[in-house]
Amino acid sequence: MFDLIQEIYATIRRNKLRTALTGFAVAWGIYMIIVLLGAGNGLINGVTNNMGDFLANSMSVFGGTTSKPYNGLKEGRDITLDDGDIGTTRQRFSENVETVGAEIQQAGATITMGDNYVSSSLCGVYPNEATINKLHMLAGRFINDIDLEQQRKVLVISDEQAKELIAGDGTALVGKVVKVDDFAFRVVGVMKRDGSTMGTDAYTSFTTLRTMYGRGNKADRILFSFRGLTSEQANTEFETQYKAAINRNHGASPDDEEAVWVWNRFTQNLQMNMGMSMIRLALWIIGIFTLLSGVVGVSNIMLISVKERTREFGIRKAIGAKPASILRLIVVESVIITTFFGYVGMLLGIATTQYMDATLGHEVTDLGFAKITTFLNPTVGIDVCVEATLLMVVAGTIAGLFPAIRAARTRPIEALRAE
């Protein structure tokens, strides 16, 4: 075996350019598939991270504008959600609906503490807001059911807002009294700002805000979590029935798609996951074709190698070399070249993905109304890297096998005549 390795090493030294070209094809194939998969994973992880800010099995409902006349009423009427719609959601669809809440907004509120103040939108909510929008509390608590029942003047603000109102640790604001316009509120919680427009909101009880600003029985939107809707078809059927019920509450046609808008996070996730799967498939297809180009390169180089050494093989067979020894010589050479350069390509690919992770993998894009992560953790698991490398080694071995068989079958007299 040692003699075989020495012989292969001598052959490689005599044909440096040919070996380098073969190695480059192999290394490039491995490198490109790792980098492509890493970049694709970075994009997918970024999108998934942004989607993770909401509870997947939840819906938000907004009032719209009627698009068709119904029961003598003209189209173009604005629909405003109210307590009747909240009751319909809770009672008629109780089989699927878990928690029900609503939101009401009051823009342009000023929160003051001493000489410090911050402008904010005041958002009246139900307790399920924290679960559905995945709000992260740093100190204190969120709005609870007692706040709703007693219309308490309690406030939950973001950490950035708290730092504007009090020096040092913003969480120390919990338990203190601040003024919201002309009303005194007690801060009961400080949450982490999520980077979106919701990070500029201060939260209070839905009933408190609605009473303070005389909003009657109205709601800006309804939020609820659901269960039992596990397919896109089931969600579509539920949305159709739900919209029809809310439309009837407002004298709109049951099949009017514009009267009420439903944002379904579950179907959105399904669509996004399908899109991500297509991206992954496309990247794998591109990567596999890149690997195939490396395999073709190995095969071509080995064919050239066999052709150049035909006379040498003829002499070997003439002095008693067996076809198996020639076959083993070519195959082992192919395996060594493919394995070595495949390993080099794998290391370079991993290094590149780590560099992307260090430079681009933690950047946040500020859109003005929200901050999003577009590229996150663009790396590939070591198992995928090893599998891709082994695939190239096996494919390279097979590519070298065919010219090896051809060389082993060549008769000595024919080989000696070759130029």
Side-chain angles (χ1 to χ4, degrees):
M1 186 64 183
F2 181 72
D3 293 338
L4 179 63
I5 298 298
Q6 279 189 318
E7 190 172 350
I8 292 172
Y9 177 69
T11 302
I12 291 174
R13 287 191 61 186
R14 288 196 306 268
N15 300 276
K16 295 178 182 178
L17 178 60
R18 184 189 73 199
T19 304
L21 291 175
T22 306
F24 176 79
V26 173
W28 181 253
I30 297 294
Y31 174 82
M32 282 306 298
I33 192 170
I34 292 175
V35 172
L36 283 171
L37 291 176
N41 286 339
L43 177 63
I44 291 169
N45 291 338
V47 173
T48 304
N49 180 70
N50 296 325
M51 290 168 53
D53 292 337
F54 305 101
L55 185 67
N57 59 317
S58 65
M59 297 187 195
S60 293
V61 186
F62 306 85
T65 303
T66 58
S67 61
K68 58 179 67 176
Y70 184 72
N71 279 349
L73 299 173
K74 293 183 178 180
E75 70 275 13
R77 291 183 297 115
D78 292 332
I79 302 298
T80 302
L81 302 175
D82 55 33
D83 286 345
D85 302 318
I86 298 174
T88 298
T89 305
R90 181 180 289 115
Q91 296 164 13
R92 182 169 176 180
F93 297 93
S94 58
E95 181 180 346
N96 297 112
V97 171
E98 290 183 322
T99 64
V100 181
E103 280 186 9
I104 193 165
Q105 289 272 353
Q106 181 65 35
T110 301
I111 305 173
T112 308
M113 184 176 182
D115 294 331
N116 300 323
Y117 67 92
V118 62
S119 296
S120 174
S121 291
L122 199 58
C123 187
V125 298
Y126 277 64
N128 70 337
E129 178 86 17
T131 302
I132 289 179
N133 286 325
K134 294 189 177 180
L135 303 180
H136 304 287
M137 300 301 299
L138 300 177
R141 64 172 178 85
F142 196 66
I143 306 301
N144 61 29
D145 291 326
I146 299 177
D147 297 329
L148 285 173
E149 293 171 5
Q150 300 181 5
Q151 298 185 14
R152 288 175 172 176
K153 293 184 178 66
V154 293
L155 197 67
V156 177
I157 62 176
S158 71
D159 53 345
E160 292 189 7
Q161 291 171 328
K163 291 175 183 177
E164 295 290 331
L165 297 173
I166 189 172
D169 186 6
T171 59
L173 198 61
V174 174
K176 299 187 181 301
V177 176
V178 299
K179 288 187 68 176
V180 180
D181 292 337
D182 295 326
F183 302 93
F185 277 73
R186 185 174 299 278
V187 178
V188 295
V190 175
M191 64 183 183
K192 180 178 177 58
R193 183 181 178 184
D194 64 356
S196 70
T197 50
M198 288 188 297
T200 64
D201 290 339
Y203 294 93
T204 188
S205 159
F206 177 83
T207 54
T208 303
L209 181 63
R210 195 165 65 170
T211 301
M212 284 171 51
Y213 292 96
R215 301 288 287 273
N217 68 338
K218 305 303 181 183
D220 290 336
R221 71 166 169 163
I222 297 172
L223 299 90
F224 60 89
S225 58
F226 59 85
R227 60 179 177 271
L229 305 176
T230 57
S231 67
E232 188 168 358
Q233 180 181 354
N235 276 265
T236 301
E237 292 174 356
F238 176 88
E239 287 182 40
T240 301
Q241 295 173 11
Y242 182 80
K243 285 182 178 181
I246 301 300
N247 285 358
R248 290 190 187 98
N249 287 351
H250 298 274
S253 174
D255 61 350
D256 191 338
E257 293 292 327
E258 310 258 334
V260 175
W261 293 92
V262 175
W263 177 18
N264 189 332
R265 276 79 177 259
F266 182 84
T267 54
Q268 181 189 40
N269 282 353
L270 286 179
Q271 292 165 0
M272 293 298 292
N273 290 336
M274 184 179 297
M276 296 303 101
S277 297
M278 292 178 66
I279 292 175
R280 283 195 181 95
L281 179 60
L283 291 173
W284 270 107
I285 291 174
I286 295 172
I288 288 172
F289 274 105
T290 306
L291 283 178
L292 287 176
S293 68
V295 173
V296 171
V298 172
S299 179
N300 288 338
I301 294 299
M302 295 309 297
L303 283 170
I304 294 171
S305 173
V306 169
K307 185 174 182 180
E308 289 178 348
R309 300 172 66 187
T310 300
R311 188 176 182 84
E312 173 194 337
F313 294 149
I315 294 173
R316 285 173 178 269
K317 295 187 73 173
I319 60 178
K322 296 182 178 180
S325 65
I326 296 174
L327 182 67
R328 184 171 63 252
L329 175 66
I330 299 173
V331 170
V332 172
E333 179 181 344
S334 176
V335 170
I336 290 175
I337 293 174
T338 307
T339 303
F340 176 77
F341 286 102
Y343 183 72
V344 170
M346 183 183 73
L347 291 181
L348 291 175
I350 293 174
T352 301
T353 58
Q354 292 295 328
Y355 177 76
M356 286 194 298
D357 186 32
T359 55
L360 301 175
H362 302 280
E363 287 192 356
V364 176
T365 302
D366 191 347
L367 301 178
F369 61 90
K371 293 181 180 180
I372 62 172
T373 304
T374 54
F375 207 62
L376 180 65
N377 189 26
T379 55
V380 180
I382 191 66
D383 55 332
V384 176
C385 298
V386 172
E387 288 169 4
T389 305
L390 289 177
L391 177 63
M392 176 60 88
V393 171
V394 171
T397 303
I398 294 174
L401 185 62
F402 291 105
I405 293 174
R406 179 182 175 184
R409 288 178 177 176
T410 303
R411 294 192 303 173
I413 189 65
E414 294 176 355
L416 291 172
R417 287 174 180 171
E419 298 181 359

